[in-house]
Amino acid sequence: MWAAPSALTAQRDAARQCTEHERLYEAIAAGDGDRAASLAHDHVATGRQVSVALAAEWSHPETDPEAVAARRRRRR
């Protein structure tokens, strides 16, 4: 049986995500809204490919969406 990953972004490179977040933060902190918007767009667009692929897998009739959601809940 197929199992969903614990997070949509778990398939992405953590170091790359961290770098993208740092650059986005720097642009926001510098008040550079145009650069921040561009970086945010690129970050989302890159991650969207993985998310769309996962969503396609989850749309199979044999996938129980409640079970997937239960496994994705954040731990406290």
Side-chain angles (χ1 to χ4, degrees):
M1 180 176 173
W2 178 86
S6 62
L8 284 176
T9 58
Q11 304 293 323
R12 293 190 63 208
D13 182 284
R16 179 177 176 178
Q17 287 186 73
C18 185
T19 299
E20 291 172 359
H21 290 165
E22 287 173 347
R23 289 181 180 154
L24 180 56
Y25 172 80
E26 290 167 0
I28 293 168
D32 189 345
D34 290 338
R35 184 165 186 265
S38 177
L39 290 167
H41 177 271
D42 292 347
H43 177 69
V44 170
T46 301
R48 180 176 43 222
Q49 295 168 348
V50 174
S51 298
V52 169
L54 290 171
E57 290 181 33
W58 294 347
S59 66
H60 292 163
E62 65 274 4
T63 301
D64 178 1
E66 290 182 16
V68 171
R71 285 192 301 269
R72 290 185 38 79
R73 291 199 176 97
R74 296 185 190 268
R75 292 181 175 89
R76 293 179 186 227

